[in-house]
Coordinates of all heavy atoms in Angstrom, one line a residue:
Q1 N 0.8 -1.2 0.0 CA 0.0 0.0 0.0 C 0.9 1.2 0.0 O 1.9 1.3 0.7 CB -0.9 0.0 1.2 CG -1.9 1.1 1.2 CD -2.8 1.0 2.4 OE1 -2.7 0.2 3.3 NE2 -3.9 1.7 2.3
V2 N 0.5 2.2 -0.8 CA 1.3 3.4 -1.0 C 0.5 4.6 -0.5 O -0.7 4.8 -1.1 CB 1.8 3.6 -2.4 CG1 2.5 4.9 -2.6 CG2 2.8 2.5 -2.8
L3 N 1.0 5.5 0.3 CA 0.3 6.7 0.6 C 0.9 7.8 -0.2 O 2.0 7.9 -0.4 CB 0.5 7.0 2.1 CG 0.0 6.0 3.1 CD1 0.4 6.4 4.5 CD2 -1.6 5.8 3.0
W4 N -0.1 8.6 -0.8 CA 0.4 9.6 -1.7 C 0.1 11.0 -1.2 O -0.7 11.3 -0.3 CB -0.5 9.6 -2.9 CG -0.2 8.5 -4.0 CD1 1.0 7.9 -4.1 CD2 -1.1 7.9 -4.8 NE1 0.9 7.0 -5.1 CE2 -0.4 7.0 -5.6 CE3 -2.5 8.1 -5.1 CZ2 -0.9 6.2 -6.6 CZ3 -3.0 7.4 -6.1 CH2 -2.3 6.4 -6.9
T5 N 0.9 11.9 -1.7 CA 0.7 13.4 -1.4 C 0.0 13.9 -2.6 O 0.6 14.3 -3.6 CB 2.1 14.1 -1.3 OG1 2.9 13.3 -0.3 CG2 1.9 15.5 -0.8
V6 N -1.3 13.9 -2.5 CA -2.1 14.4 -3.7 C -1.9 15.9 -3.9 O -1.9 16.3 -5.0 CB -3.6 14.0 -3.5 CG1 -4.5 14.6 -4.6 CG2 -3.7 12.5 -3.4
E7 N -1.9 16.6 -2.8 CA -1.8 18.1 -2.9 C -0.5 18.5 -2.1 O -0.4 18.0 -1.0 CB -2.9 18.8 -2.5 CG -4.1 18.6 -3.4 CD -5.3 19.5 -3.0 OE1 -5.1 20.6 -2.5 OE2 -6.5 19.1 -3.2
A8 N 0.4 19.3 -2.7 CA 1.6 19.7 -2.0 C 1.7 21.2 -2.1 O 1.1 21.8 -3.0 CB 2.8 19.0 -2.6
P9 N 2.5 21.8 -1.2 CA 2.7 23.2 -1.3 C 3.3 23.6 -2.7 O 4.1 22.8 -3.2 CB 3.8 23.5 -0.2 CG 3.6 22.4 0.7 CD 3.2 21.2 -0.1
G10 N 2.9 24.6 -3.3 CA 3.3 25.0 -4.6 C 2.5 24.5 -5.8 O 2.6 25.1 -6.9
D11 N 1.6 23.6 -5.5 CA 0.7 23.0 -6.7 C -0.1 24.2 -7.2 O -0.2 24.3 -8.4 CB -0.1 21.9 -6.2 CG 0.6 20.6 -6.1 OD1 1.8 20.5 -6.5 OD2 0.0 19.6 -5.6
E12 N -0.7 25.0 -6.3 CA -1.6 26.0 -6.8 C -0.9 27.1 -7.6 O -1.5 27.9 -8.2 CB -2.5 26.5 -5.6 CG -3.3 25.5 -5.0 CD -4.3 24.9 -6.0 OE1 -4.8 25.6 -6.9 OE2 -4.5 23.7 -6.0
A13 N 0.4 27.2 -7.4 CA 1.2 28.2 -8.0 C 1.4 27.9 -9.5 O 1.8 28.7 -10.3 CB 2.5 28.5 -7.3
V14 N 1.2 26.6 -9.9 CA 1.4 26.2 -11.3 C 0.2 26.7 -12.1 O -1.0 26.3 -11.8 CB 1.5 24.6 -11.4 CG1 1.6 24.2 -12.8 CG2 2.7 24.1 -10.6
P15 N 0.5 27.5 -13.2 CA -0.6 28.0 -13.9 C -1.3 26.9 -14.9 O -0.6 26.1 -15.4 CB 0.0 29.1 -14.8 CG 1.4 28.7 -14.9 CD 1.8 28.0 -13.6
G16 N -2.5 26.9 -14.8 CA -3.3 26.0 -15.7 C -3.6 24.7 -15.0 O -2.8 24.0 -14.4
K17 N -4.9 24.3 -15.2 CA -5.4 23.1 -14.5 C -4.7 21.8 -15.0 O -4.3 21.0 -14.2 CB -6.9 23.0 -14.8 CG -7.6 21.8 -14.2 CD -9.1 21.9 -14.3 CE -9.6 21.9 -15.6 NZ -11.1 21.8 -15.8
A18 N -4.4 21.8 -16.3 CA -3.8 20.6 -16.9 C -2.3 20.5 -16.4 O -1.9 19.3 -16.1 CB -3.8 20.5 -18.4
E19 N -1.6 21.5 -16.5 CA -0.2 21.5 -16.0 C -0.1 21.1 -14.5 O 0.7 20.4 -14.1 CB 0.5 22.8 -16.3 CG 0.7 23.0 -17.7 CD 1.6 21.9 -18.4 OE1 2.6 21.5 -17.7 OE2 1.3 21.5 -19.4
R20 N -1.0 21.7 -13.7 CA -1.1 21.3 -12.3 C -1.3 19.9 -12.1 O -0.7 19.2 -11.3 CB -2.1 22.2 -11.5 CG -2.1 22.2 -10.1 CD -3.0 23.3 -9.5 NE -4.2 23.6 -10.2 CZ -4.3 24.8 -10.8 NH1 -3.4 25.7 -10.7 NH2 -5.3 25.2 -11.5
R21 N -2.3 19.4 -12.8 CA -2.5 17.9 -12.8 C -1.4 17.1 -13.1 O -1.1 16.1 -12.5 CB -3.8 17.6 -13.5 CG -4.3 16.2 -13.5 CD -5.5 15.9 -14.3 NE -5.3 16.2 -15.7 CZ -5.9 17.2 -16.3 NH1 -6.8 18.0 -15.8 NH2 -5.6 17.4 -17.6
R22 N -0.8 17.4 -14.2 CA 0.5 16.6 -14.7 C 1.6 16.7 -13.6 O 2.3 15.7 -13.4 CB 0.9 17.2 -16.0 CG 0.0 16.8 -17.1 CD 0.5 17.3 -18.4 NE -0.6 17.2 -19.4 CZ -1.1 18.2 -20.1 NH1 -0.6 19.5 -19.9 NH2 -2.1 18.1 -20.9
R23 N 1.7 17.8 -12.9 CA 2.7 17.9 -11.9 C 2.4 17.0 -10.8 O 3.3 16.2 -10.3 CB 2.7 19.4 -11.3 CG 3.7 19.5 -10.1 CD 3.5 20.9 -9.6 NE 4.0 21.0 -8.2 CZ 4.8 22.0 -7.9 NH1 5.3 22.9 -8.7 NH2 5.3 22.0 -6.6
R24 N 1.1 16.8 -10.5 CA 0.7 15.9 -9.4 C 0.9 14.4 -9.9 O 1.3 13.6 -9.1 CB -0.8 16.2 -9.1 CG -1.0 17.4 -8.3 CD -2.4 17.8 -8.1 NE -2.5 18.9 -7.2 CZ -3.6 19.8 -7.2 NH1 -4.6 19.5 -8.0 NH2 -3.6 20.8 -6.4
I25 N 0.5 14.2 -11.1 CA 0.8 12.8 -11.6 C 2.3 12.4 -11.5 O 2.5 11.3 -11.0 CB 0.3 12.7 -13.1 CG1 -1.2 12.8 -13.2 CG2 0.8 11.3 -13.7 CD1 -1.8 12.9 -14.6
L26 N 3.1 13.3 -11.9 CA 4.5 13.0 -11.8 C 5.0 12.7 -10.4 O 5.7 11.8 -10.1 CB 5.4 14.2 -12.3 CG 5.5 14.3 -13.7 CD1 6.2 15.7 -14.1 CD2 6.2 13.2 -14.4
R27 N 4.4 13.5 -9.4 CA 4.8 13.3 -8.1 C 4.2 12.0 -7.5 O 4.9 11.2 -6.8 CB 4.2 14.4 -7.1 CG 4.6 14.2 -5.7 CD 4.1 15.4 -4.8 NE 2.7 15.7 -4.9 CZ 2.2 16.9 -5.5 NH1 3.1 17.7 -6.0 NH2 1.0 17.0 -5.6
L28 N 3.0 11.7 -7.9 CA 2.3 10.4 -7.4 C 3.1 9.1 -8.0 O 3.3 8.2 -7.3 CB 0.9 10.3 -7.8 CG 0.0 11.4 -7.2 CD1 -1.5 11.3 -7.7 CD2 0.0 11.4 -5.7
L29 N 3.5 9.3 -9.2 CA 4.3 8.1 -9.8 C 5.6 8.0 -9.1 O 6.0 6.9 -8.9 CB 4.5 8.3 -11.4 CG 3.2 8.2 -12.2 CD1 3.6 8.7 -13.6 CD2 2.8 6.8 -12.2
R30 N 6.3 9.1 -8.9 CA 7.6 9.0 -8.2 C 7.5 8.5 -6.8 O 8.2 7.7 -6.3 CB 8.3 10.3 -8.3 CG 8.8 10.7 -9.6 CD 9.5 11.9 -9.7 NE 10.0 12.1 -11.1 CZ 9.8 13.3 -11.8 NH1 9.2 14.3 -11.2 NH2 10.3 13.4 -13.0
E31 N 6.4 9.0 -6.1 CA 6.2 8.5 -4.7 C 6.0 7.0 -4.7 O 6.5 6.2 -3.9 CB 5.0 9.2 -4.0 CG 5.4 10.6 -3.6 CD 4.2 11.4 -3.0 OE1 3.1 10.8 -2.8 OE2 4.4 12.6 -2.6
A32 N 5.1 6.5 -5.7 CA 4.9 5.1 -5.7 C 6.1 4.3 -6.0 O 6.5 3.3 -5.4 CB 3.8 4.8 -6.8
E33 N 6.9 4.8 -7.0 CA 8.1 4.1 -7.3 C 9.1 4.0 -6.2 O 9.7 3.0 -6.0 CB 8.7 4.8 -8.5 CG 10.0 4.1 -9.1 CD 10.6 4.9 -10.3 OE1 10.5 6.1 -10.3 OE2 11.1 4.1 -11.1
D34 N 9.2 5.1 -5.5 CA 10.1 5.1 -4.3 C 9.7 4.1 -3.3 O 10.6 3.7 -2.5 CB 10.1 6.6 -3.6 CG 10.8 7.6 -4.5 OD1 11.5 7.3 -5.4 OD2 10.7 8.8 -4.2
R35 N 8.4 3.7 -3.2 CA 8.0 2.8 -2.3 C 7.7 1.4 -2.9 O 7.1 0.5 -2.3 CB 6.7 3.2 -1.7 CG 6.9 4.5 -0.8 CD 5.6 5.1 -0.3 NE 5.8 6.3 0.5 CZ 5.8 7.6 0.0 NH1 5.6 7.8 -1.3 NH2 6.0 8.6 0.9
G36 N 8.3 1.2 -4.1 CA 8.2 0.0 -4.8 C 6.8 -0.4 -5.4 O 6.5 -1.5 -5.6
G37 N 6.1 0.6 -5.6 CA 4.6 0.4 -6.1 C 4.6 1.0 -7.5 O 5.4 1.8 -8.0
R38 N 3.5 0.7 -8.2 CA 3.2 1.3 -9.5 C 1.7 1.4 -9.6 O 0.9 0.3 -9.6 CB 3.7 0.4 -10.7 CG 4.4 1.2 -11.7 CD 5.0 0.3 -12.7 NE 4.1 0.0 -13.7 CZ 4.2 -1.0 -14.5 NH1 5.2 -1.9 -14.3 NH2 3.3 -1.3 -15.5
P39 N 1.0 2.6 -9.5 CA -0.4 2.7 -9.5 C -1.1 2.3 -10.9 O -0.3 2.3 -11.9 CB -0.6 4.2 -9.2 CG 0.5 4.9 -9.8 CD 1.7 3.9 -9.6
T40 N -2.3 2.1 -10.9 CA -3.0 1.9 -12.2 C -3.5 3.2 -12.6 O -3.6 4.2 -11.8 CB -4.3 0.9 -11.9 OG1 -5.2 1.6 -11.0 CG2 -3.8 -0.4 -11.4
Y41 N -3.9 3.2 -13.9 CA -4.6 4.5 -14.4 C -5.8 4.9 -13.6 O -6.1 6.0 -13.3 CB -5.0 4.2 -15.9 CG -3.8 4.2 -16.8 CD1 -3.2 2.9 -17.2 CD2 -3.3 5.3 -17.4 CE1 -2.1 2.9 -18.0 CE2 -2.2 5.3 -18.2 CZ -1.6 4.1 -18.5 OH -0.6 4.0 -19.4
D42 N -6.6 3.8 -13.3 CA -7.8 4.1 -12.5 C -7.6 4.7 -11.1 O -8.3 5.5 -10.7 CB -8.6 2.8 -12.4 CG -9.2 2.3 -13.7 OD1 -9.5 3.2 -14.6 OD2 -9.3 1.1 -14.0
R43 N -6.6 4.2 -10.5 CA -6.2 4.8 -9.1 C -5.7 6.2 -9.1 O -6.1 7.0 -8.3 CB -5.2 3.9 -8.4 CG -5.9 2.6 -8.0 CD -5.2 1.9 -6.9 NE -5.8 0.6 -6.7 CZ -6.3 0.2 -5.5 NH1 -6.4 1.0 -4.5 NH2 -6.8 -1.0 -5.4
L44 N -4.9 6.5 -10.2 CA -4.5 7.8 -10.4 C -5.7 8.8 -10.7 O -5.8 9.8 -10.1 CB -3.5 7.9 -11.6 CG -2.1 7.5 -11.3 CD1 -1.3 7.4 -12.6 CD2 -1.4 8.4 -10.3
A45 N -6.6 8.3 -11.5 CA -7.8 9.0 -11.9 C -8.6 9.3 -10.6 O -9.1 10.5 -10.4 CB -8.6 8.3 -12.9
A46 N -8.8 8.3 -9.8 CA -9.6 8.5 -8.5 C -9.0 9.4 -7.6 O -9.6 10.3 -7.1 CB -9.9 7.1 -7.9
A47 N -7.7 9.3 -7.5 CA -7.0 10.2 -6.6 C -7.0 11.7 -7.0 O -7.1 12.6 -6.1 CB -5.5 9.8 -6.5
L48 N -7.1 11.9 -8.3 CA -7.0 13.2 -8.7 C -8.4 13.8 -9.2 O -8.6 14.9 -9.6 CB -6.1 13.4 -10.0 CG -4.6 13.1 -9.6 CD1 -3.8 13.1 -10.9 CD2 -4.1 14.2 -8.6
G49 N -9.4 12.9 -9.0 CA -10.9 13.3 -9.3 C -11.1 13.6 -10.8 O -11.9 14.5 -11.1
V50 N -10.5 12.8 -11.7 CA -10.7 12.9 -13.1 C -11.0 11.5 -13.7 O -10.9 10.5 -12.9 CB -9.5 13.5 -13.8 CG1 -9.2 14.9 -13.3 CG2 -8.2 12.7 -13.6
D51 N -11.3 11.5 -14.9 CA -11.6 10.1 -15.5 C -10.3 9.5 -16.1 O -9.3 10.3 -16.3 CB -12.7 10.2 -16.5 CG -12.4 11.0 -17.7 OD1 -11.2 11.2 -18.0 OD2 -13.4 11.4 -18.4
R52 N -10.4 8.3 -16.3 CA -9.2 7.5 -16.8 C -8.7 8.1 -18.1 O -7.5 8.2 -18.3 CB -9.6 6.0 -17.0 CG -8.5 5.2 -17.5 CD -9.0 3.7 -17.8 NE -8.0 3.0 -18.5 CZ -7.3 2.0 -18.0 NH1 -7.5 1.7 -16.7 NH2 -6.3 1.4 -18.6
R53 N -9.5 8.5 -19.0 CA -9.1 9.0 -20.2 C -8.2 10.3 -20.1 O -7.2 10.5 -20.8 CB -10.3 9.3 -21.2 CG -11.2 8.2 -21.4 CD -10.8 7.2 -22.3 NE -11.0 7.7 -23.8 CZ -10.6 7.0 -24.8 NH1 -9.9 5.9 -24.6 NH2 -10.8 7.4 -26.0
T54 N -8.5 11.0 -19.0 CA -7.7 12.3 -18.8 C -6.3 11.8 -18.4 O -5.3 12.4 -18.9 CB -8.4 13.1 -17.7 OG1 -9.7 13.5 -18.2 CG2 -7.5 14.3 -17.3
I55 N -6.2 10.8 -17.5 CA -4.9 10.4 -17.1 C -4.2 9.8 -18.2 O -2.9 10.0 -18.5 CB -5.1 9.2 -15.9 CG1 -5.7 9.9 -14.7 CG2 -3.8 8.6 -15.6 CD1 -4.9 11.0 -14.0
E56 N -4.8 9.0 -19.2 CA -4.2 8.5 -20.3 C -3.6 9.6 -21.2 O -2.4 9.5 -21.7 CB -5.1 7.5 -21.0 CG -5.5 6.3 -20.3 CD -6.6 5.5 -21.0 OE1 -7.1 5.9 -22.0 OE2 -6.8 4.4 -20.6
R57 N -4.4 10.6 -21.4 CA -4.0 11.7 -22.3 C -2.8 12.4 -21.6 O -1.8 12.7 -22.3 CB -5.2 12.7 -22.5 CG -4.8 13.9 -23.4 CD -6.0 14.8 -23.6 NE -6.3 15.4 -22.3 CZ -7.5 15.3 -21.7 NH1 -8.5 14.6 -22.3 NH2 -7.9 15.9 -20.6
D58 N -2.8 12.7 -20.3 CA -1.7 13.3 -19.6 C -0.5 12.4 -19.7 O 0.6 12.9 -19.8 CB -2.1 13.6 -18.2 CG -3.1 14.8 -18.0 OD1 -3.3 15.6 -19.0 OD2 -3.7 15.0 -17.0
M59 N -0.7 11.1 -19.5 CA 0.5 10.2 -19.6 C 1.3 10.2 -20.9 O 2.4 10.2 -21.0 CB 0.1 8.8 -19.2 CG -0.1 8.6 -17.7 SD 1.3 9.0 -16.7 CE 2.6 8.0 -17.4
R60 N 0.4 10.3 -22.0 CA 1.0 10.4 -23.3 C 1.9 11.6 -23.4 O 3.0 11.5 -23.9 CB 0.0 10.4 -24.5 CG -0.6 9.1 -24.8 CD -1.5 9.1 -26.0 NE -2.7 9.8 -25.8 CZ -3.8 9.3 -25.4 NH1 -3.9 8.0 -25.1 NH2 -5.0 10.0 -25.2
R61 N 1.4 12.7 -23.0 CA 2.2 13.9 -22.9 C 3.5 13.8 -22.0 O 4.6 14.2 -22.4 CB 1.3 15.1 -22.6 CG 2.0 16.4 -22.3 CD 1.7 17.4 -23.4 NE 2.3 18.6 -23.2 CZ 1.7 19.8 -22.9 NH1 0.4 19.7 -23.0 NH2 2.4 20.9 -22.7
L62 N 3.2 13.4 -20.8 CA 4.3 13.2 -19.8 C 5.4 12.3 -20.4 O 6.6 12.6 -20.1 CB 3.8 12.8 -18.5 CG 3.0 13.8 -17.7 CD1 2.3 13.2 -16.5 CD2 3.9 15.0 -17.3
R63 N 5.1 11.2 -21.0 CA 6.0 10.3 -21.5 C 6.9 10.9 -22.6 O 8.0 10.5 -22.8 CB 5.5 8.9 -21.8 CG 4.8 8.3 -20.5 CD 4.7 7.0 -20.4 NE 5.9 6.2 -20.6 CZ 5.9 5.0 -21.1 NH1 4.7 4.4 -21.5 NH2 7.0 4.4 -21.2
Q64 N 6.3 11.8 -23.4 CA 7.1 12.5 -24.4 C 8.1 13.5 -23.7 O 9.2 13.6 -24.1 CB 6.2 13.3 -25.3 CG 5.4 12.4 -26.2 CD 4.4 13.4 -27.0 OE1 4.1 14.5 -26.7 NE2 3.7 12.7 -28.0
E65 N 7.6 14.2 -22.7 CA 8.5 15.1 -22.0 C 9.5 14.4 -21.0 O 10.5 15.0 -20.8 CB 7.6 16.1 -21.1 CG 6.7 16.9 -22.0 CD 5.7 17.7 -21.2 OE1 5.7 17.6 -20.0 OE2 4.9 18.4 -21.8
H66 N 9.2 13.2 -20.5 CA 10.0 12.6 -19.5 C 10.1 11.1 -20.0 O 9.5 10.2 -19.5 CB 9.4 12.6 -18.2 CG 9.1 13.9 -17.7 ND1 10.0 14.6 -16.9 CD2 8.0 14.7 -17.7 CE1 9.5 15.9 -16.7 NE2 8.2 15.9 -17.1
P67 N 11.0 10.8 -21.0 CA 11.1 9.5 -21.7 C 11.3 8.4 -20.7 O 10.8 7.2 -20.9 CB 12.3 9.6 -22.6 CG 12.4 11.0 -22.9 CD 12.0 11.8 -21.6
G68 N 12.0 8.5 -19.6 CA 12.2 7.4 -18.6 C 11.2 7.2 -17.6 O 11.3 6.4 -16.8
L69 N 10.1 8.0 -17.7 CA 9.0 7.9 -16.8 C 8.3 6.5 -16.9 O 7.9 6.1 -17.9 CB 8.0 9.0 -17.0 CG 6.8 9.1 -16.2 CD1 7.3 9.6 -14.7 CD2 5.8 10.1 -16.7
P70 N 8.2 5.8 -15.7 CA 7.6 4.5 -15.7 C 6.0 4.7 -15.9 O 5.5 5.6 -15.2 CB 7.9 3.9 -14.3 CG 8.2 5.1 -13.5 CD 8.7 6.1 -14.4
P71 N 5.4 3.9 -16.7 CA 3.9 4.1 -16.9 C 3.2 3.4 -15.7 O 3.7 2.7 -15.0 CB 3.8 3.3 -18.2 CG 4.7 2.2 -18.2 CD 5.9 2.9 -17.5
P72 N 2.0 3.9 -15.6 CA 1.1 3.2 -14.6 C 0.8 1.8 -15.0 O 1.1 1.4 -16.1 CB -0.2 4.0 -14.7 CG 0.1 5.3 -15.2 CD 1.2 5.0 -16.3
R73 N 0.3 1.0 -14.1 CA 0.0 -0.4 -14.4 C -1.2 -0.5 -15.4 O -2.1 0.4 -15.3 CB -0.2 -1.2 -13.2 CG 1.0 -1.6 -12.4 CD 0.7 -2.4 -11.2 NE -0.5 -1.9 -10.6 CZ -1.2 -2.5 -9.7 NH1 -0.9 -3.7 -9.4 NH2 -2.2 -2.1 -9.1
G74 N -1.3 -1.5 -16.2 CA -2.4 -1.7 -17.0 C -2.2 -1.1 -18.4 O -1.1 -0.5 -18.7
K75 N -3.2 -1.3 -19.2 CA -3.0 -0.8 -20.6 C -3.9 0.4 -20.8 O -4.9 0.5 -20.2 CB -3.4 -2.0 -21.7 CG -2.5 -3.1 -21.6 CD -2.8 -4.1 -22.6 CE -1.9 -5.3 -22.6 NZ -2.1 -6.1 -23.7
M76 N -3.5 1.2 -21.8 CA -4.4 2.3 -22.1 C -5.6 1.9 -22.9 O -5.5 0.9 -23.6 CB -3.5 3.3 -23.0 CG -2.5 4.1 -22.3 SD -1.7 5.2 -23.4 CE -1.7 6.7 -22.3
S77 N -6.7 2.6 -22.8 CA -7.9 2.3 -23.6 C -7.5 2.6 -25.0 O -6.7 3.4 -25.4 CB -9.0 3.2 -23.1 OG -9.2 3.0 -21.7
E78 N -8.3 2.0 -25.9 CA -8.1 2.2 -27.3 C -9.0 3.3 -27.7 O -10.0 3.6 -27.3 CB -8.4 0.9 -28.1 CG -7.5 -0.3 -27.8 CD -6.0 0.1 -28.2 OE1 -5.8 0.8 -29.2 OE2 -5.1 -0.4 -27.5

């Protein structure tokens, strides 16, 4: 079981809802990895209050920007 920091100081200073959410996704993935875990797309979506498709879209962008970023568990929807 991994405990996450869904909101951290400085999050609100990031302009734009999508950029703020992507910053949070990066943090959640790194926290999970540091603890030997890997979240699913659905758990990320639930933690951030968005749908799975939003997480999938954000992950496509984040993996372009951060090539070594480990993906969440599971497969993306088609």
